[in-house]
Amino acid sequence: MAKGKTMRPETLVIHGGTAFNDPHGSLTTPLYQTSTFVFPDAETGGRRFAGEESGYIYSRLGNPTVAQLEQRVAALEAMEAGAACATGMGAVAAATMAFLKAGDHVIASDCIYGCSFALFSHLFERFGVHVDFIDMTDETALANAFRENTRVVFLETPANPHLRLLDLAMVGEHCARHNDVRLIVDNTFMTPLLQKPGAFGAHLVVHSATKYLNGHGDVVAGIITGSAEDIHTIKMTTLKDMGATMSPHDAWLIIRGLKTLAVRMEKHCANTERVAEFLQSHSCVSKVYYPGFADHPQHHLVGTQMAHPGAVIAFEMLGGYSAAVQLLNQLEMIRVAVSLGDAETLIQHPASMTHSPLTPEARARAGITDGLVRISVGLEHVDDIIGDLQQSFERVLSNPRARLSAV
Ligand SMILES: *Cc1c(COP(=O)(O)O)cnc(C)c1O
């Protein structure tokens, strides 16, 4: 039977990591819903605290259910180890701050998740860490951004909401030219099944496990994967002492969700191809942002660094804010909600929702118009997804107040 590294991703989502050795032979990973672990005797407790003997102590420091999830996601990312976190932001904060101190410098992509941007631009500055946000599609800008004290380079690809892609190999090469620089990639939109940033030089990969990894919309969680040494550092500093560790119950739910990740991603991706084509052909839509289309500026990276363009797309409604709001309000099945990667198709309006904290000028610079709509394509029958969009478009078109010109 295929073992360890030779197992395929479809198998790793179910069997990745060391098989759980349950005394009763439980098929599924048991849920160790416990805060603390009983030492057989005082000396054992002492040895565990001294690091002389392996064994569990207290769930913030480690838990068997959580450890199983960590190993499984690490196997999927082809990384040595994993650290599970309470939320995706817990993962972003723990992964970056473990390697930063006052006086250090960070280079971040100018298009990252809103709370990552807030953490880097507001909190980091307060602790004396300076962050330069740059357009990482510009290789010269990236090369010129490095300083002697640069310790972390952080990016997301595809980037929300326009699905702009960054060339991981190019960024990885620049990071490798400098000493003591860690490339940290937020791989939430892709999952390890569609993209493995470690293969292009990323030292650490973070996920909001809230999204595809869990896939059922019932937890908020995060995970970091990387070298055993880096993960140990994170666990012994920013995770243990800042405390955003994952609860055993959340880990148990994600282990359960993960088993279907491969079949879910296949369906998410296939549905998205059809939805993107439908949107592209509709008279209410002036532009569709989907890396799978040949006119996408970084289309060449699809099939090279990423196996598929993924299942989050954005599109521009003719008629601006009023048309976008009408479209969302007249949907019958598709839910109006932020987040992504769930079985349910979710739709949101970035300008008034995910990207509303930006100033109007910053939104304009980032191309987040009032007509922009983002959709996370779910697992429903694709004809039902398209049918719902179609009926809502028709109602927008039949509304005498809707003026579908590019406003
Ligand atoms: C949702 C998300 C996060 C934050 O994750 P939480 O689980 O909500 O804390 C970070 N990065 C990306 C790309 C996300 O989509």
Side-chain angles (χ1 to χ4, degrees):
M1 200 197 83
K3 273 278 179 202
K5 282 200 164 69
T6 63
M7 285 198 281
R8 288 152 187 85
E10 293 84 346
T11 312
L12 286 174
V13 294
I14 301 164
H15 295 286
T18 314
F20 207 93
N21 189 17
D22 178 58
H24 304 291
S26 172
L27 171 67
T28 60
T29 306
L31 168 53
Y32 281 83
Q33 189 71 36
T34 184
S35 56
T36 197
F37 295 84
V38 178
F39 306 133
D41 51 56
E43 291 85 348
T44 304
R47 283 194 300 276
R48 287 188 191 171
F49 266 90
E52 294 161 7
E53 181 184 303
S54 63
Y56 291 98
I57 297 174
Y58 183 73
S59 278
R60 179 159 42 75
L61 312 179
N63 172 287
T65 311
V66 177
Q68 180 76 77
L69 174 69
E70 291 172 337
Q71 287 188 15
R72 193 151 294 166
V73 178
L76 279 164
E77 284 286 6
M79 293 289 204
E80 286 174 1
C85 306
T87 65
M89 282 317 301
V92 171
T96 51
M97 293 174 81
F99 302 101
L100 293 169
K101 60 179 189 315
D104 284 348
H105 176 244
V106 174
I107 304 170
S109 161
D110 61 0
C111 195
I112 54 173
Y113 185 71
C115 297
S116 301
F117 178 79
L119 172 71
F120 296 171
S121 56
H122 303 138
L123 282 173
F124 277 19
E125 292 290 340
R126 266 172 47 188
F127 293 94
V129 173
H130 181 68
V131 185
D132 280 319
F133 295 93
I134 63 157
D135 173 359
M136 282 193 200
T137 58
D138 180 346
E139 185 168 1
T140 311
L142 175 66
N144 292 337
F146 283 91
R147 298 188 197 165
E148 209 168 295
N149 56 343
T150 303
R151 291 292 163 267
V152 165
V153 174
F154 185 95
L155 67 88
E156 276 172 37
T157 178
N160 192 25
H162 294 104
L163 291 312
R164 189 184 70 181
L165 309 180
L166 296 175
D167 186 333
L168 287 170
M170 183 275 282
V171 178
E173 263 167 43
H174 279 276
C175 292
R177 286 180 203 161
H178 300 268
N179 286 328
D180 203 13
V181 169
R182 275 181 186 74
L183 173 58
I184 305 180
V185 174
D186 181 335
N187 202 27
T188 301
F189 273 45
M190 286 280 94
T191 83
L193 296 190
L194 302 186
Q195 176 171 280
K196 288 190 184 62
F200 302 94
H203 301 91
L204 293 161
V205 177
V206 299
H207 285 275
S208 169
T210 310
K211 317 291 168 54
Y212 293 104
L213 296 187
N214 179 56
H216 292 73
D218 47 15
V219 299
V220 283
I223 193 153
I224 311 165
T225 62
S227 70
E229 195 184 341
D230 276 359
I231 293 297
H232 181 72
T233 301
I234 291 166
K235 284 190 169 179
M236 294 312 287
T237 58
T238 41
L239 212 46
K240 170 171 79 69
D241 299 335
M242 289 165 70
T245 49
M246 186 185 286
S247 88
H249 186 245
D250 285 351
W252 187 84
L253 282 168
I254 299 164
I255 289 169
R256 175 183 156 116
L258 207 53
K259 292 182 190 187
T260 56
L261 182 65
V263 287
R264 284 190 284 113
M265 290 317 289
E266 236 179 273
K267 180 80 170 164
H268 277 302
C269 290
N271 280 357
T272 305
E273 286 175 16
R274 291 272 316 277
V275 171
E277 279 160 21
F278 164 76
L279 291 169
Q280 177 90 322
S281 68
H282 203 281
S283 63
C284 286
V285 175
S286 61
K287 180 156 182 61
V288 179
Y289 297 93
Y290 178 58
F293 287 148
D295 70 345
H296 185 284
Q298 294 92 31
H299 177 66
H300 62 283
L301 294 173
V302 178
T304 54
Q305 75 178 28
M306 60 209 277
H308 191 277
V312 179
I313 50 182
F315 60 95
E316 201 73 60
M317 277 290 283
L318 285 170
Y321 178 79
S322 135
V325 165
Q326 284 181 55
L327 170 74
L328 266 57
N329 285 344
Q330 294 174 133
L331 290 164
E332 290 170 353
M333 176 195 76
I334 297 171
R335 298 296 174 81
V336 180
V338 297
S339 199
L340 53 107
D342 291 328
E344 294 84 356
T345 296
L346 302 178
I347 199 163
Q348 66 114 352
H349 180 247
S352 66
M353 296 175 191
T354 48
H355 292 68
S356 60
L358 300 184
T359 62
E361 296 73 38
R363 267 203 302 281
R365 268 200 308 279
I368 296 157
T369 61
D370 287 347
L372 188 72
V373 173
R374 186 190 79 182
I375 182 163
S376 164
V377 179
L379 301 176
E380 302 95 341
H381 195 291
V382 69
D383 292 343
D384 291 330
I385 301 170
I386 291 172
D388 197 18
L389 288 166
Q390 174 71 33
Q391 67 79 23
S392 188
F393 278 140
E394 272 163 22
R395 287 157 77 176
V396 174
L397 282 171
S398 66
N399 182 338
R401 296 210 327 262
R403 287 163 309 161
L404 294 188
S405 54
V407 191

